[in-house]
Amino acid sequence: AVVAGTVPENIAGVLARGGYDHVVFLDAVDLGAEPGSVVFMDATEIKSKFPQVSTHKISLGMAAQVIEAEGRTRVWLLGVQPKSLRTGSEMSEPVKQSLKLLAGLLTEVLCGKPSTVETKHACT
C-alpha cells in the first residue's frame, strides 16, 4: 500500500517500474452519483472518465497511462463518491458504510479469509 495523497504522479514512475502485476487506486471520485456509490474501472475507463480535469496535479487517467506504458502492470480504480470533494470536508455516513464494506471485501480477496464489518481489516 502506498499513500499518494493528492499527487499520484509522484509515484507513477516507481509503480510503472516496480514489476507489479496490478495497481489499484483507491480514491474519492466524482461520479455524479449518490454519496457512498462505488465504481471499479480499468485503465481505459479511468482515462475516458478522468482525462485531465482532476483534484490531483495530473489526472488518475494520465497516471494510469504512465504506469501501464511499461507494459506489465494493469491499473484499476476503486472509487467512492464522496458527499463533498472540498478540502477539510468530513466523511459522510454513506461513504463510511461503503468503506467498511469495501475493507471487508478487500480483506477477503487479498488475505483469503472472511471478514466482518466488526473486525479489523488486516492480514495477520
Side-chain angles (χ1 to χ4, degrees):
V2 177
V3 178
T6 59
V7 286
E9 62 272 16
N10 286 352
I11 58 153
V14 172
L15 293 173
R17 295 183 302 277
Y20 303 103
D21 293 326
H22 300 276
V23 169
V24 180
F25 292 125
L26 306 172
D27 203 4
V29 293
D30 188 5
L31 309 166
E34 291 295 315
S37 297
V38 176
V39 66
F40 188 69
M41 299 178 173
D42 66 16
T44 301
E45 294 167 311
I46 299 167
K47 288 181 270 188
S48 173
K49 180 77 177 168
F50 306 104
Q52 185 53 45
V53 177
S54 174
T55 57
H56 304 289
K57 290 187 179 187
I58 68 167
S59 71
L60 291 179
M62 182 63 72
Q65 186 174 348
V66 168
I67 294 167
E68 285 198 341
E70 293 289 321
R72 174 181 174 163
T73 306
R74 296 276 323 267
V75 177
W76 308 89
L77 167 66
L78 180 56
V80 177
Q81 172 72 52
K83 184 174 181 180
S84 172
L85 283 169
R86 287 181 300 185
T87 302
S89 297
E90 291 192 25
M91 192 180 303
S92 68
E93 197 56 40
V95 171
K96 288 178 185 178
Q97 292 304 313
S98 291
L99 293 179
K100 284 180 184 178
L101 293 171
L102 290 171
L105 175 64
L106 288 171
T107 298
E108 289 182 34
V109 170
L110 299 174
C111 301
K113 55 183 162 182
S115 176
T116 64
V117 172
E118 292 81 28
T119 62
K120 292 195 176 203
H121 304 288
C123 300
T124 54

